Amino acid sequence: MNAPAPPAETLRAALAGLLDGLPPRQAAQAVERLIASYRGATPTDAPILRDRADVAAYAAYRMPATFEAVRSALEAFAEAVPAWVPGSHTDVGGGTGAAAWAVSATWGGKRPVTVLDWAEPALALGREIAAADPALRDVRWQRSRIGAALTLESTDLVTVSYVLNELTAPDRTALVDAAATAAQAVVIVEPGTPDGYARVIEARDRLIGAGFHVAAPCPHSAACPIAPGTDWCHFSARVSRSSLHRQVKGGSLPYEDEKFSYVAAARFPVTPAPSRVVRRPQIRKGQVLLDLCQTEPSLHRTTVTKRHGDLYKAARDADWGDSWPPAP
């Protein structure tokens, strides 16, 4: 009996099937219009997701990147809580369900999953895509306004990905507080921009104030050592580019890098990384430069040379976002 395909492959195949029969030019135009809408280039009272073709094109374009970013955050979280597996999951503002797929890819098996979103066309398409994965066929897709009026049922894990940027400041506060009240663990992912990082730090502070422990990416639950306005903490996930990606963005590379910021925190004890690689490692002749966020907390650049033996080999293999030093 053949083993089931990994969730990432199943998702890619399901998304590719969405565009069957949709002319590539029409799909590309839909994506370009939707990107402009989400960036505020069209009136706010204009319908953003007008029909299934709109949702399918946007899902095929954005869902792989959201999936990879959330999966990267969840994998870092899972490393800090190796004995924990979520028994239930609620994805707030989940749209077509990228985070539900990412949770399934991180922790196998079935669990009760609820995806909340205001856009009914996105939920309908998410349900259609999820039918491709047996672990996701029983997901509950529920229409809900995301904001100050949101109430969440008790759950093990709440994910909030690429949502805070669409909310007012009071609604962001209310959402994070609702997640902290309902969940044992909360993972929040935002675009890897200075503004996205600022929203993550704001959420991180509220989670700590609610009694949560930061599991990732930070190796501590103290204040972020980055001076406000001088830099921002973000990471990168590699995404395979579809023909639709190449048509919309141009270029011929088979991949692109999705930049994201995140925080993963839990009410129960966690074992965060001793330090975290917060920039792409610089490999030079006979040495590797690693920029690290450390437990103290502090930011520090360390140089690993050939004299360090196996540690040097590990440094050459280290990636942006990895814990450091590697586990024995």
Side-chain angles (χ1 to χ4, degrees):
M1 185 175 179
N2 293 331
E9 293 181 13
T10 304
L11 176 60
R12 278 195 291 271
L15 290 174
L18 291 179
L19 300 179
D20 289 346
L22 187 64
R25 181 172 178 80
Q26 182 182 347
Q29 288 175 338
V31 169
E32 289 171 343
R33 182 180 61 76
L34 291 167
I35 289 173
S37 297
Y38 280 116
R39 287 175 178 168
T42 59
T44 55
D45 58 354
I48 294 178
L49 299 174
R50 296 188 302 202
D51 52 32
R52 186 188 182 283
D54 272 1
V55 184
Y58 198 71
Y61 179 77
R62 275 301 303 168
M63 208 170 163
T66 302
F67 168 81
E68 293 295 353
V70 176
R71 181 170 68 166
S72 293
L74 291 172
E75 287 177 347
F77 177 55
E79 290 177 2
V81 292
W84 185 79
V85 176
S88 54
H89 170 216
T90 298
D91 185 25
V92 180
T96 53
W101 284 84
V103 169
S104 182
T106 306
W107 295 283
K110 296 185 71 172
R111 60 187 55 84
V113 180
T114 300
V115 178
L116 304 176
D117 201 273
W118 181 243
E120 182 60 43
L123 293 169
L125 191 73
R127 184 183 298 109
E128 179 183 333
I129 298 168
D133 188 340
L136 297 174
R137 286 175 186 167
D138 296 329
V139 171
R140 181 171 62 147
W141 303 85
Q142 182 176 324
R143 192 165 188 247
S144 177
R145 187 176 294 279
I146 309 302
L150 179 69
T151 57
L152 298 175
E153 296 177 4
S154 179
T155 185
D156 282 352
L157 172 66
V158 165
T159 54
V160 184
S161 56
Y162 296 86
V163 173
L164 298 183
N165 60 312
E166 298 177 6
L167 303 178
T168 64
D171 281 351
R172 289 198 299 269
T173 296
L175 171 52
V176 174
D177 289 350
T181 300
Q184 293 299 305
V186 177
V187 177
I188 295 174
V189 181
E190 281 287 294
T193 62
D195 286 346
Y197 160 74
R199 289 188 291 269
V200 166
I201 287 296
E202 180 184 71
R204 179 185 185 273
D205 289 345
R206 295 201 72 81
L207 290 173
I208 293 170
F212 279 68
H213 311 284
V214 176
C218 323
H220 56 81
S221 295
C224 178
I226 297 176
T230 64
D231 203 350
W232 72 100
C233 182
H234 65 292
F235 302 92
S236 179
R238 182 140 293 183
V239 184
S240 297
R241 299 178 78 191
S242 66
S243 59
L244 178 58
H245 278 84
R246 291 192 289 271
Q247 185 171 3
V248 172
K249 285 197 170 181
S252 58
L253 285 176
Y255 63 85
E256 65 179 9
D257 292 325
E258 173 73 5
K259 304 296 196 306
F260 65 98
S261 294
Y262 76 98
V263 62
R267 285 198 173 278
F268 48 84
V270 301
T271 307
S275 62
R276 179 81 59 186
V277 181
V278 293
R279 289 287 182 274
R280 200 178 300 280
Q282 298 181 41
I283 300 178
R284 299 180 180 175
K285 186 175 181 180
Q287 61 181 14
V288 181
L289 306 183
L290 298 177
D291 290 304
L292 304 173
C293 181
Q294 299 182 308
T295 306
E296 282 75 12
S298 66
L299 297 174
H300 175 71
R301 171 170 287 185
T302 187
T303 301
V304 185
T305 69
K306 287 184 175 179
R307 294 197 306 272
H308 292 96
D310 289 343
L311 199 61
Y312 171 70
K313 295 177 184 177
R316 287 185 61 86
D317 291 335
D319 201 2
W320 185 5
D322 285 353
S323 61
W324 184 263

mmCIF file of all heavy atoms in Angstrom, residues 103-147:
data_model
loop_
_atom_site.group_PDB
_atom_site.id
_atom_site.type_symbol
_atom_site.label_atom_id
_atom_site.label_comp_id
_atom_site.label_asym_id
_atom_site.label_seq_id
_atom_site.Cartn_x
_atom_site.Cartn_y
_atom_site.Cartn_z
ATOM 1 N N VAL A 103 -0.396 22.974 10.173
ATOM 2 C CA VAL A 103 -0.470 22.221 11.423
ATOM 3 C C VAL A 103 -0.471 20.727 11.133
ATOM 4 O O VAL A 103 0.216 19.937 11.802
ATOM 5 C CB VAL A 103 -1.726 22.624 12.226
ATOM 6 C CG1 VAL A 103 -1.964 21.669 13.397
ATOM 7 C CG2 VAL A 103 -1.575 24.052 12.750
ATOM 8 N N SER A 104 -1.213 20.305 10.109
ATOM 9 C CA SER A 104 -1.259 18.898 9.732
ATOM 10 C C SER A 104 0.109 18.401 9.285
ATOM 11 O O SER A 104 0.480 17.252 9.536
ATOM 12 C CB SER A 104 -2.292 18.695 8.616
ATOM 13 O OG SER A 104 -2.401 17.339 8.259
ATOM 14 N N ALA A 105 0.883 19.280 8.623
ATOM 15 C CA ALA A 105 2.226 18.900 8.176
ATOM 16 C C ALA A 105 3.205 18.807 9.337
ATOM 17 O O ALA A 105 4.204 18.078 9.263
ATOM 18 C CB ALA A 105 2.732 19.907 7.143
ATOM 19 N N THR A 106 2.950 19.548 10.416
ATOM 20 C CA THR A 106 3.855 19.573 11.562
ATOM 21 C C THR A 106 3.570 18.447 12.539
ATOM 22 O O THR A 106 4.485 17.803 13.067
ATOM 23 C CB THR A 106 3.753 20.932 12.287
ATOM 24 O OG1 THR A 106 3.963 21.990 11.345
ATOM 25 C CG2 THR A 106 4.785 21.040 13.403
ATOM 26 N N TRP A 107 2.292 18.214 12.798
ATOM 27 C CA TRP A 107 1.872 17.142 13.718
ATOM 28 C C TRP A 107 0.880 16.257 12.978
ATOM 29 O O TRP A 107 -0.234 16.700 12.678
ATOM 30 C CB TRP A 107 1.198 17.715 14.957
ATOM 31 C CG TRP A 107 2.092 18.547 15.829
ATOM 32 C CD1 TRP A 107 3.037 18.097 16.712
ATOM 33 C CD2 TRP A 107 2.098 19.977 15.940
ATOM 34 N NE1 TRP A 107 3.635 19.151 17.344
ATOM 35 C CE2 TRP A 107 3.072 20.321 16.902
ATOM 36 C CE3 TRP A 107 1.366 20.996 15.330
ATOM 37 C CZ2 TRP A 107 3.341 21.640 17.258
ATOM 38 C CZ3 TRP A 107 1.633 22.301 15.669
ATOM 39 C CH2 TRP A 107 2.608 22.621 16.620
ATOM 40 N N GLY A 108 1.273 15.036 12.680
ATOM 41 C CA GLY A 108 0.399 14.139 11.943
ATOM 42 C C GLY A 108 -0.844 13.763 12.724
ATOM 43 O O GLY A 108 -0.990 14.084 13.911
ATOM 44 N N GLY A 109 -1.737 13.059 12.069
ATOM 45 C CA GLY A 109 -2.959 12.605 12.724
ATOM 46 C C GLY A 109 -4.100 13.593 12.571
ATOM 47 O O GLY A 109 -3.923 14.715 12.094
ATOM 48 N N LYS A 110 -5.286 13.151 12.994
ATOM 49 C CA LYS A 110 -6.481 13.994 12.893
ATOM 50 C C LYS A 110 -6.769 14.640 14.241
ATOM 51 O O LYS A 110 -6.446 14.095 15.296
ATOM 52 C CB LYS A 110 -7.680 13.154 12.453
ATOM 53 C CG LYS A 110 -7.527 12.572 11.050
ATOM 54 C CD LYS A 110 -8.787 11.861 10.614
ATOM 55 C CE LYS A 110 -9.910 12.837 10.319
ATOM 56 N NZ LYS A 110 -11.088 12.192 9.713
ATOM 57 N N ARG A 111 -7.384 15.814 14.202
ATOM 58 C CA ARG A 111 -7.798 16.537 15.407
ATOM 59 C C ARG A 111 -8.949 17.461 15.019
ATOM 60 O O ARG A 111 -9.075 17.826 13.832
ATOM 61 C CB ARG A 111 -6.629 17.360 15.965
ATOM 62 C CG ARG A 111 -6.097 18.410 14.987
ATOM 63 C CD ARG A 111 -4.852 19.098 15.478
ATOM 64 N NE ARG A 111 -3.794 18.167 15.808
ATOM 65 C CZ ARG A 111 -2.941 17.649 14.905
ATOM 66 N NH1 ARG A 111 -3.060 17.966 13.624
ATOM 67 N NH2 ARG A 111 -2.010 16.822 15.280
ATOM 68 N N PRO A 112 -9.776 17.849 15.956
ATOM 69 C CA PRO A 112 -10.818 18.835 15.630
ATOM 70 C C PRO A 112 -10.172 20.158 15.199
ATOM 71 O O PRO A 112 -9.319 20.695 15.909
ATOM 72 C CB PRO A 112 -11.583 18.991 16.946
ATOM 73 C CG PRO A 112 -11.286 17.753 17.722
ATOM 74 C CD PRO A 112 -9.890 17.368 17.349
ATOM 75 N N VAL A 113 -10.571 20.662 14.048
ATOM 76 C CA VAL A 113 -10.030 21.912 13.505
ATOM 77 C C VAL A 113 -11.190 22.818 13.109
ATOM 78 O O VAL A 113 -12.139 22.372 12.462
ATOM 79 C CB VAL A 113 -9.126 21.657 12.273
ATOM 80 C CG1 VAL A 113 -8.589 22.972 11.729
ATOM 81 C CG2 VAL A 113 -7.984 20.710 12.621
ATOM 82 N N THR A 114 -11.088 24.073 13.501
ATOM 83 C CA THR A 114 -12.067 25.081 13.096
ATOM 84 C C THR A 114 -11.340 26.224 12.410
ATOM 85 O O THR A 114 -10.367 26.751 12.947
ATOM 86 C CB THR A 114 -12.843 25.635 14.310
ATOM 87 O OG1 THR A 114 -13.541 24.566 14.953
ATOM 88 C CG2 THR A 114 -13.840 26.698 13.876
ATOM 89 N N VAL A 115 -11.793 26.592 11.224
ATOM 90 C CA VAL A 115 -11.256 27.738 10.501
ATOM 91 C C VAL A 115 -12.315 28.835 10.503
ATOM 92 O O VAL A 115 -13.442 28.623 10.041
ATOM 93 C CB VAL A 115 -10.871 27.379 9.056
ATOM 94 C CG1 VAL A 115 -10.369 28.624 8.311
ATOM 95 C CG2 VAL A 115 -9.807 26.291 9.031
ATOM 96 N N LEU A 116 -11.947 29.985 11.055
ATOM 97 C CA LEU A 116 -12.863 31.127 11.133
ATOM 98 C C LEU A 116 -12.450 32.195 10.123
ATOM 99 O O LEU A 116 -11.279 32.554 10.044
ATOM 100 C CB LEU A 116 -12.833 31.734 12.540
ATOM 101 C CG LEU A 116 -13.144 30.807 13.715
ATOM 102 C CD1 LEU A 116 -12.977 31.561 15.031
ATOM 103 C CD2 LEU A 116 -14.544 30.227 13.601
ATOM 104 N N ASP A 117 -13.413 32.711 9.373
ATOM 105 C CA ASP A 117 -13.122 33.799 8.442
ATOM 106 C C ASP A 117 -14.433 34.475 8.071
ATOM 107 O O ASP A 117 -15.502 33.862 8.149
ATOM 108 C CB ASP A 117 -12.411 33.279 7.185
ATOM 109 C CG ASP A 117 -11.662 34.385 6.459
ATOM 110 O OD1 ASP A 117 -12.274 35.079 5.619
ATOM 111 O OD2 ASP A 117 -10.462 34.570 6.732
ATOM 112 N N TRP A 118 -14.347 35.743 7.667
ATOM 113 C CA TRP A 118 -15.533 36.501 7.290
ATOM 114 C C TRP A 118 -15.934 36.239 5.851
ATOM 115 O O TRP A 118 -17.099 36.389 5.480
ATOM 116 C CB TRP A 118 -15.279 37.988 7.514
ATOM 117 C CG TRP A 118 -16.453 38.876 7.178
ATOM 118 C CD1 TRP A 118 -16.520 39.834 6.213
ATOM 119 C CD2 TRP A 118 -17.742 38.861 7.805
ATOM 120 N NE1 TRP A 118 -17.758 40.432 6.205
ATOM 121 C CE2 TRP A 118 -18.531 39.849 7.181
ATOM 122 C CE3 TRP A 118 -18.306 38.113 8.829
ATOM 123 C CZ2 TRP A 118 -19.844 40.103 7.546
ATOM 124 C CZ3 TRP A 118 -19.619 38.370 9.197
ATOM 125 C CH2 TRP A 118 -20.370 39.356 8.552
ATOM 126 N N ALA A 119 -14.982 35.829 5.007
ATOM 127 C CA ALA A 119 -15.238 35.694 3.566
ATOM 128 C C ALA A 119 -15.761 34.288 3.252
ATOM 129 O O ALA A 119 -15.003 33.320 3.237
ATOM 130 C CB ALA A 119 -13.967 35.974 2.773
ATOM 131 N N GLU A 120 -17.042 34.193 2.983
ATOM 132 C CA GLU A 120 -17.648 32.903 2.677
ATOM 133 C C GLU A 120 -17.033 32.233 1.440
ATOM 134 O O GLU A 120 -16.807 31.013 1.434
ATOM 135 C CB GLU A 120 -19.163 33.064 2.490
ATOM 136 C CG GLU A 120 -19.896 31.765 2.212
ATOM 137 C CD GLU A 120 -19.727 30.744 3.328
ATOM 138 O OE1 GLU A 120 -19.809 31.133 4.508
ATOM 139 O OE2 GLU A 120 -19.526 29.556 3.025
ATOM 140 N N PRO A 121 -16.708 32.987 0.355
ATOM 141 C CA PRO A 121 -16.087 32.325 -0.799
ATOM 142 C C PRO A 121 -14.753 31.659 -0.452
ATOM 143 O O PRO A 121 -14.432 30.592 -0.980
ATOM 144 C CB PRO A 121 -15.894 33.480 -1.797
ATOM 145 C CG PRO A 121 -16.909 34.493 -1.404
ATOM 146 C CD PRO A 121 -17.005 34.415 0.083
ATOM 147 N N ALA A 122 -13.971 32.281 0.440
ATOM 148 C CA ALA A 122 -12.695 31.684 0.841
ATOM 149 C C ALA A 122 -12.926 30.408 1.640
ATOM 150 O O ALA A 122 -12.240 29.399 1.439
ATOM 151 C CB ALA A 122 -11.886 32.688 1.663
ATOM 152 N N LEU A 123 -13.899 30.428 2.554
ATOM 153 C CA LEU A 123 -14.196 29.236 3.341
ATOM 154 C C LEU A 123 -14.675 28.091 2.452
ATOM 155 O O LEU A 123 -14.284 26.934 2.637
ATOM 156 C CB LEU A 123 -15.259 29.561 4.392
ATOM 157 C CG LEU A 123 -14.837 30.529 5.502
ATOM 158 C CD1 LEU A 123 -16.065 30.966 6.305
ATOM 159 C CD2 LEU A 123 -13.802 29.897 6.418
ATOM 160 N N ALA A 124 -15.524 28.424 1.485
ATOM 161 C CA ALA A 124 -16.037 27.393 0.582
ATOM 162 C C ALA A 124 -14.913 26.751 -0.206
ATOM 163 O O ALA A 124 -14.866 25.519 -0.376
ATOM 164 C CB ALA A 124 -17.083 27.999 -0.359
ATOM 165 N N LEU A 125 -13.999 27.563 -0.680
ATOM 166 C CA LEU A 125 -12.879 27.012 -1.437
ATOM 167 C C LEU A 125 -11.939 26.227 -0.526
ATOM 168 O O LEU A 125 -11.401 25.184 -0.914
ATOM 169 C CB LEU A 125 -12.107 28.125 -2.146
ATOM 170 C CG LEU A 125 -11.089 27.600 -3.159
ATOM 171 C CD1 LEU A 125 -11.793 27.070 -4.397
ATOM 172 C CD2 LEU A 125 -10.088 28.673 -3.542
ATOM 173 N N GLY A 126 -11.738 26.717 0.692
ATOM 174 C CA GLY A 126 -10.909 25.986 1.642
ATOM 175 C C GLY A 126 -11.446 24.597 1.900
ATOM 176 O O GLY A 126 -10.688 23.619 1.958
ATOM 177 N N ARG A 127 -12.771 24.487 2.041
ATOM 178 C CA ARG A 127 -13.404 23.184 2.241
ATOM 179 C C ARG A 127 -13.154 22.283 1.036
ATOM 180 O O ARG A 127 -12.867 21.080 1.178
ATOM 181 C CB ARG A 127 -14.902 23.381 2.458
ATOM 182 C CG ARG A 127 -15.666 22.106 2.773
ATOM 183 C CD ARG A 127 -17.168 22.358 2.897
ATOM 184 N NE ARG A 127 -17.469 23.278 3.988
ATOM 185 C CZ ARG A 127 -17.892 24.526 3.832
ATOM 186 N NH1 ARG A 127 -18.025 25.023 2.601
ATOM 187 N NH2 ARG A 127 -18.159 25.295 4.862
ATOM 188 N N GLU A 128 -13.237 22.858 -0.156
ATOM 189 C CA GLU A 128 -13.014 22.090 -1.381
ATOM 190 C C GLU A 128 -11.574 21.573 -1.458
ATOM 191 O O GLU A 128 -11.331 20.403 -1.782
ATOM 192 C CB GLU A 128 -13.332 22.977 -2.597
ATOM 193 C CG GLU A 128 -13.126 22.310 -3.940
ATOM 194 C CD GLU A 128 -13.399 23.258 -5.096
ATOM 195 O OE1 GLU A 128 -14.206 24.216 -4.914
ATOM 196 O OE2 GLU A 128 -12.811 23.067 -6.167
ATOM 197 N N ILE A 129 -10.611 22.445 -1.137
ATOM 198 C CA ILE A 129 -9.203 22.045 -1.187
ATOM 199 C C ILE A 129 -8.912 20.979 -0.136
ATOM 200 O O ILE A 129 -8.195 20.004 -0.393
ATOM 201 C CB ILE A 129 -8.293 23.266 -0.972
ATOM 202 C CG1 ILE A 129 -8.492 24.301 -2.081
ATOM 203 C CG2 ILE A 129 -6.819 22.849 -0.930
ATOM 204 C CD1 ILE A 129 -7.843 25.642 -1.785
ATOM 205 N N ALA A 130 -9.470 21.146 1.068
ATOM 206 C CA ALA A 130 -9.183 20.231 2.171
ATOM 207 C C ALA A 130 -9.656 18.812 1.888
ATOM 208 O O ALA A 130 -9.159 17.852 2.497
ATOM 209 C CB ALA A 130 -9.824 20.751 3.452
ATOM 210 N N ALA A 131 -10.585 18.649 0.966
ATOM 211 C CA ALA A 131 -11.066 17.310 0.631
ATOM 212 C C ALA A 131 -9.957 16.430 0.075
ATOM 213 O O ALA A 131 -10.075 15.200 0.068
ATOM 214 C CB ALA A 131 -12.217 17.408 -0.370
ATOM 215 N N ALA A 132 -8.858 17.053 -0.373
ATOM 216 C CA ALA A 132 -7.735 16.286 -0.924
ATOM 217 C C ALA A 132 -6.915 15.598 0.143
ATOM 218 O O ALA A 132 -6.120 14.704 -0.166
ATOM 219 C CB ALA A 132 -6.836 17.215 -1.759
ATOM 220 N N ASP A 133 -7.071 15.990 1.422
ATOM 221 C CA ASP A 133 -6.281 15.418 2.515
ATOM 222 C C ASP A 133 -7.222 14.783 3.535
ATOM 223 O O ASP A 133 -8.019 15.486 4.163
ATOM 224 C CB ASP A 133 -5.444 16.512 3.185
ATOM 225 C CG ASP A 133 -4.464 15.951 4.210
ATOM 226 O OD1 ASP A 133 -4.670 14.810 4.672
ATOM 227 O OD2 ASP A 133 -3.500 16.653 4.549
ATOM 228 N N PRO A 134 -7.149 13.464 3.729
ATOM 229 C CA PRO A 134 -8.069 12.801 4.683
ATOM 230 C C PRO A 134 -8.024 13.412 6.081
ATOM 231 O O PRO A 134 -9.046 13.435 6.777
ATOM 232 C CB PRO A 134 -7.566 11.353 4.694
ATOM 233 C CG PRO A 134 -6.907 11.171 3.370
ATOM 234 C CD PRO A 134 -6.284 12.502 3.039
ATOM 235 N N ALA A 135 -6.860 13.925 6.498
ATOM 236 C CA ALA A 135 -6.741 14.487 7.843
ATOM 237 C C ALA A 135 -7.516 15.786 7.992
ATOM 238 O O ALA A 135 -7.765 16.233 9.116
ATOM 239 C CB ALA A 135 -5.272 14.716 8.191
ATOM 240 N N LEU A 136 -7.906 16.413 6.874
ATOM 241 C CA LEU A 136 -8.559 17.721 6.924
ATOM 242 C C LEU A 136 -10.008 17.695 6.438
ATOM 243 O O LEU A 136 -10.650 18.740 6.345
ATOM 244 C CB LEU A 136 -7.766 18.731 6.087
ATOM 245 C CG LEU A 136 -6.336 19.014 6.562
ATOM 246 C CD1 LEU A 136 -5.622 19.921 5.563
ATOM 247 C CD2 LEU A 136 -6.338 19.657 7.936
ATOM 248 N N ARG A 137 -10.515 16.535 6.148
ATOM 249 C CA ARG A 137 -11.858 16.456 5.559
ATOM 250 C C ARG A 137 -12.961 16.825 6.547
ATOM 251 O O ARG A 137 -14.070 17.161 6.147
ATOM 252 C CB ARG A 137 -12.092 15.060 4.992
ATOM 253 C CG ARG A 137 -11.310 14.824 3.696
ATOM 254 C CD ARG A 137 -11.433 13.415 3.192
ATOM 255 N NE ARG A 137 -10.547 13.208 2.037
ATOM 256 C CZ ARG A 137 -10.244 12.020 1.538
ATOM 257 N NH1 ARG A 137 -10.765 10.924 2.086
ATOM 258 N NH2 ARG A 137 -9.437 11.918 0.497
ATOM 259 N N ASP A 138 -12.677 16.737 7.848
ATOM 260 C CA ASP A 138 -13.697 17.049 8.849
ATOM 261 C C ASP A 138 -13.526 18.438 9.460
ATOM 262 O O ASP A 138 -14.132 18.750 10.487
ATOM 263 C CB ASP A 138 -13.673 15.997 9.965
ATOM 264 C CG ASP A 138 -14.053 14.616 9.450
ATOM 265 O OD1 ASP A 138 -14.854 14.544 8.501
ATOM 266 O OD2 ASP A 138 -13.540 13.619 9.998
ATOM 267 N N VAL A 139 -12.695 19.276 8.860
ATOM 268 C CA VAL A 139 -12.510 20.640 9.353
ATOM 269 C C VAL A 139 -13.847 21.383 9.327
ATOM 270 O O VAL A 139 -14.639 21.250 8.394
ATOM 271 C CB VAL A 139 -11.465 21.389 8.496
ATOM 272 C CG1 VAL A 139 -11.427 22.873 8.862
ATOM 273 C CG2 VAL A 139 -10.088 20.773 8.674
ATOM 274 N N ARG A 140 -14.077 22.184 10.368
ATOM 275 C CA ARG A 140 -15.285 23.010 10.424
ATOM 276 C C ARG A 140 -14.931 24.391 9.879
ATOM 277 O O ARG A 140 -14.068 25.078 10.424
ATOM 278 C CB ARG A 140 -15.791 23.108 11.860
ATOM 279 C CG ARG A 140 -17.071 23.924 11.998
ATOM 280 C CD ARG A 140 -17.665 23.808 13.389
ATOM 281 N NE ARG A 140 -16.746 24.324 14.402
ATOM 282 C CZ ARG A 140 -17.138 24.928 15.526
ATOM 283 N NH1 ARG A 140 -18.413 25.104 15.775
ATOM 284 N NH2 ARG A 140 -16.245 25.339 16.395
ATOM 285 N N TRP A 141 -15.617 24.799 8.828
ATOM 286 C CA TRP A 141 -15.372 26.086 8.185
ATOM 287 C C TRP A 141 -16.503 27.021 8.602
ATOM 288 O O TRP A 141 -17.654 26.833 8.206
ATOM 289 C CB TRP A 141 -15.319 25.925 6.669
ATOM 290 C CG TRP A 141 -14.283 24.925 6.248
ATOM 291 C CD1 TRP A 141 -14.431 23.572 6.162
ATOM 292 C CD2 TRP A 141 -12.927 25.201 5.899
ATOM 293 N NE1 TRP A 141 -13.251 22.991 5.769
ATOM 294 C CE2 TRP A 141 -12.320 23.959 5.599
ATOM 295 C CE3 TRP A 141 -12.174 26.369 5.797
ATOM 296 C CZ2 TRP A 141 -10.982 23.867 5.217
ATOM 297 C CZ3 TRP A 141 -10.842 26.278 5.415
ATOM 298 C CH2 TRP A 141 -10.254 25.043 5.123
ATOM 299 N N GLN A 142 -16.171 28.028 9.407
ATOM 300 C CA GLN A 142 -17.209 28.834 10.050
ATOM 301 C C GLN A 142 -17.045 30.312 9.722
ATOM 302 O O GLN A 142 -15.975 30.894 9.919
ATOM 303 C CB GLN A 142 -17.135 28.629 11.564
ATOM 304 C CG GLN A 142 -18.191 29.376 12.349
ATOM 305 C CD GLN A 142 -18.105 29.036 13.831
ATOM 306 O OE1 GLN A 142 -17.817 27.902 14.218
ATOM 307 N NE2 GLN A 142 -18.340 30.035 14.672
ATOM 308 N N ARG A 143 -18.116 30.919 9.256
ATOM 309 C CA ARG A 143 -18.089 32.362 8.970
ATOM 310 C C ARG A 143 -18.161 33.129 10.277
ATOM 311 O O ARG A 143 -19.036 32.876 11.114
ATOM 312 C CB ARG A 143 -19.250 32.741 8.062
ATOM 313 C CG ARG A 143 -19.126 34.148 7.488
ATOM 314 C CD ARG A 143 -20.081 34.332 6.317
ATOM 315 N NE ARG A 143 -19.828 35.609 5.657
ATOM 316 C CZ ARG A 143 -20.697 36.631 5.666
ATOM 317 N NH1 ARG A 143 -21.842 36.514 6.317
ATOM 318 N NH2 ARG A 143 -20.420 37.745 5.029
ATOM 319 N N SER A 144 -17.239 34.039 10.473
ATOM 320 C CA SER A 144 -17.177 34.794 11.724
ATOM 321 C C SER A 144 -16.469 36.113 11.478
ATOM 322 O O SER A 144 -15.445 36.167 10.783
ATOM 323 C CB SER A 144 -16.423 33.983 12.785
ATOM 324 O OG SER A 144 -16.290 34.725 13.984
ATOM 325 N N ARG A 145 -17.004 37.162 12.051
ATOM 326 C CA ARG A 145 -16.329 38.454 11.946
ATOM 327 C C ARG A 145 -15.130 38.459 12.889
ATOM 328 O O ARG A 145 -15.251 38.098 14.060
ATOM 329 C CB ARG A 145 -17.290 39.597 12.293
ATOM 330 C CG ARG A 145 -16.686 40.981 12.040
ATOM 331 C CD ARG A 145 -17.707 42.076 12.293
ATOM 332 N NE ARG A 145 -18.808 42.043 11.342
ATOM 333 C CZ ARG A 145 -18.750 42.557 10.117
ATOM 334 N NH1 ARG A 145 -17.630 43.120 9.691
ATOM 335 N NH2 ARG A 145 -19.791 42.506 9.318
ATOM 336 N N ILE A 146 -13.976 38.841 12.361
ATOM 337 C CA ILE A 146 -12.741 38.825 13.142
ATOM 338 C C ILE A 146 -12.514 40.231 13.697
ATOM 339 O O ILE A 146 -12.310 41.183 12.936
ATOM 340 C CB ILE A 146 -11.532 38.404 12.276
ATOM 341 C CG1 ILE A 146 -11.847 37.107 11.521
ATOM 342 C CG2 ILE A 146 -10.293 38.260 13.136
ATOM 343 C CD1 ILE A 146 -12.211 35.939 12.400
ATOM 344 N N GLY A 147 -12.571 40.368 15.023
ATOM 345 C CA GLY A 147 -12.381 41.693 15.610
ATOM 346 C C GLY A 147 -12.766 41.688 17.071
ATOM 347 O O GLY A 147 -12.708 40.663 17.758
#
